[in-house]
Amino acid sequence: MASDTPLYEVLALRFGTHAQRPARENFLTDEGQFAPGSQMPNDYYLWVVRNDRHFLLVDTGFPEEMARRRGRTLFRDPVEALGDLGTSADDVTDVVITHMHYDHAGNLDRFPHARIHLQEEELRFCTGPSMRHRVVRRPFEPVNVHTAVQGLFEDQLVLHRGEAEILPGVTVHPVPGHTPGTQVVRVPTARGWVVLASDAAHLWANIRLRSPFPILESLTPMLDGYDTIEALADGDDHVIPGHDPQVALRFPALAGAPDWTCLHEPAADGLMAATTAGGAVR
Ligand SMILES: [Zn+2]
């Protein structure tokens, strides 16, 4: 990293969970790595990248109504939680949507003044003929797709075709596989380059085992994406998976706003290996 690269804080908000989740539902293949009947929860996050000059929201979570309808537990409304950081949805000027699944773009209509940064390929996918397949469209919500299209007509949507710089030094990178237009966010921090992998890697176990999450558009790009993410990050602890409960446990809480986790600070040692071994993955 160049010495004049601006540095940022990176915060994660764990706002919900899917607690009763069989471990095998988190992996495309079962190669005997799961203890019978073992559970492996998925948590829900959104992220903030900020310094004294800039504020960027990465994904928008989802509202209570979607949580109820889909059997997910919401700890708190993720948009209202921005108040912990002294801001509100009305003040947010830039939002990166990593992909259009409901748990990442679920509150898109609540950011009327923000530029919405999306990969062109993702818009094509969620408005295209793939959505005629129920199993493909299931993680999408029409209201979020409507909001994206409306944003397109009102100059709110910023479409990227590949890598792009969103803030000075902060870049998005397409990592297709989970969806064709999934993008990850690379941030320079005091501890090095951190990559918000979102659903390019749901859990640390997915990337460590090279065993993708089963909601998957294409397998080989997904696996290639793990290499891409690792090359962009400054180490294993610098890759932040999108749904791993360990994220909130391994990194320190933000002073005064303990629901937010500081990803720009070093992780606690050992938990990842211990939990991976002692949890559902043998
Ligand atoms: Zn997803």
Side-chain angles (χ1 to χ4, degrees), residues 99 101 103-104 139 178-179 199 202 215 243:
H99 63 300
H101 281 165
D103 51 330
H104 296 262
H178 177 62
T179 65
D199 288 1
H202 277 63
I215 296 178
H243 293 278

Side-chain angles (χ1 to χ4, degrees), residues 74-228:
L74 215 62
F75 301 132
R76 60 185 304 193
D77 181 273
V79 177
E80 288 175 11
L82 292 171
D84 297 1
L85 307 179
T87 190
S88 71
D90 275 349
D91 297 329
V92 173
T93 57
D94 289 275
V95 178
V96 165
I97 295 296
T98 61
H99 63 300
M100 284 295 292
H101 281 165
Y102 83 95
D103 51 330
H104 296 262
N107 289 307
L108 200 56
D109 56 344
R110 293 168 72 183
F111 293 87
H113 310 303
R115 285 179 288 269
I116 307 293
H117 299 270
L118 189 68
Q119 286 289 324
E120 189 179 287
E121 191 59 38
E122 189 72 356
L123 182 68
R124 187 175 294 122
F125 184 60
C126 72
T127 55
S130 296
M131 293 301 113
R132 74 191 170 90
H133 301 295
R134 187 183 53 82
V135 69
V136 177
R137 71 174 177 252
R138 194 162 50 191
F140 294 85
E141 288 276 348
V143 63
N144 304 143
V145 178
H146 291 164
T147 304
V149 171
Q150 191 165 343
L152 178 70
F153 278 74
E154 294 173 359
D155 296 327
Q156 192 191 4
L157 202 60
V158 184
L159 292 173
H160 298 288
R161 194 180 295 167
E163 191 180 323
E165 189 172 53
I166 309 298
L167 299 177
V170 176
T171 46
V172 292
H173 304 257
V175 180
H178 177 62
T179 65
T182 295
Q183 57 185 350
V184 304
V185 184
R186 186 189 198 216
V187 187
T189 74
R191 70 179 181 101
W193 291 106
V194 167
V195 174
L196 298 174
S198 185
D199 288 1
H202 277 63
L203 305 169
W204 270 304
N206 294 118
I207 192 166
R208 282 157 61 90
L209 298 168
R210 291 298 198 262
S211 179
F213 193 81
I215 296 178
L216 186 63
E217 177 63 12
S218 51
L219 179 57
T220 301
M222 186 84 204
L223 292 164
D224 290 344
Y226 295 148
D227 297 338
T228 303

